Amino acid sequence: MSGQQGHVQRPLDALGKATNSPVLIKLKGNREFRGILKSFDLHMNLVLNDAEELEKGEVTRRLGTVLIRGDNIVYISP
């Protein structure tokens, strides 16, 4: 088990590696957004640049810069 600990990442470490990269965010209520992850905090509140709202994989709205509250997030895919 100790050999695997070097590969274990904390969620915030993974977000840190995804900073300035495109991410896909799924929220409660089945809403999806994608954009460039600019920053985040300990509550996993996110700031996305060039954000777009998606429905069935298609862009429905271009939003620009948005703040997404961490307690609404179901998953983040880098």
Side-chain angles (χ1 to χ4, degrees), residues 10-77:
R10 295 174 298 169
L12 294 179
D13 294 339
L15 275 181
K17 288 182 181 180
T19 302
N20 295 314
S21 299
V23 292
L24 178 66
I25 312 294
K26 183 160 187 174
L27 302 182
K28 294 176 185 174
N30 220 22
R31 296 177 73 187
E32 286 188 319
F33 294 86
R34 78 174 164 214
I36 306 300
L37 178 63
K38 292 312 287 179
S39 62
F40 61 92
D41 65 14
L42 293 174
H43 303 286
M44 287 198 201
N45 297 317
L46 310 177
V47 175
L48 297 182
N49 281 354
D50 302 324
E52 302 171 321
E53 186 171 6
L54 306 173
E55 189 173 310
K56 298 180 183 172
E58 299 294 321
V59 176
T60 57
R61 290 195 299 170
R62 297 187 193 283
L63 301 166
T65 301
V66 297
L67 170 72
I68 298 177
R69 258 185 90 178
D71 64 348
N72 290 317
I73 297 172
V74 175
Y75 70 74
I76 303 167
S77 178

